[in-house]
Amino acid sequence: MAIERPNRRLTTILAADAAGYSRLVGADEEGTLGRLRAIRKDLIDPVIAAHRGRIVQTMGGGLLVAFASVVDAVRPAGETQRAMADNMACLAPDKRS
């Protein structure tokens, strides 16, 4: 009698959060949400897609993303952090996350 094994697959979950999100929303909800939408559309979503990631859940200024491997998760995380630092550099300090 053969033992049936469960079908398993490995997944890497990336958890990301926008620092200062609550403060920014408290100061300017519409502006903050608009900037977040633009950053997701222009930067975050394309980077995730390029590395075969899938957004599992969003919440406020955070999101959970599933990747097939650790390498696929680490590369977009680094790319996104560098791009966000460049993006925030042109904003006034009280508008930065």
Side-chain angles (χ1 to χ4, degrees), residues 25-74:
V25 167
D28 178 13
E29 182 176 6
E30 288 181 21
T32 300
L33 295 176
R35 281 191 304 279
L36 180 60
R37 275 193 295 278
I39 289 167
R40 282 268 324 268
K41 178 181 171 268
D42 298 338
L43 171 70
I44 296 171
D45 291 356
V47 170
I48 289 170
H51 292 276
R52 299 174 297 165
R54 179 177 58 86
I55 295 175
V56 176
Q57 183 175 359
T58 62
M59 54 278 186
L63 48 96
L64 296 176
V65 186
F67 291 93
S69 77
V70 173
V71 173
D72 286 340
V74 171

Side-chain angles (χ1 to χ4, degrees), residues 80-91:
T80 302
Q81 285 180 327
R82 285 187 293 279
M84 287 301 299
D86 293 344
N87 188 297
M88 295 293 126
C90 65
L91 294 176

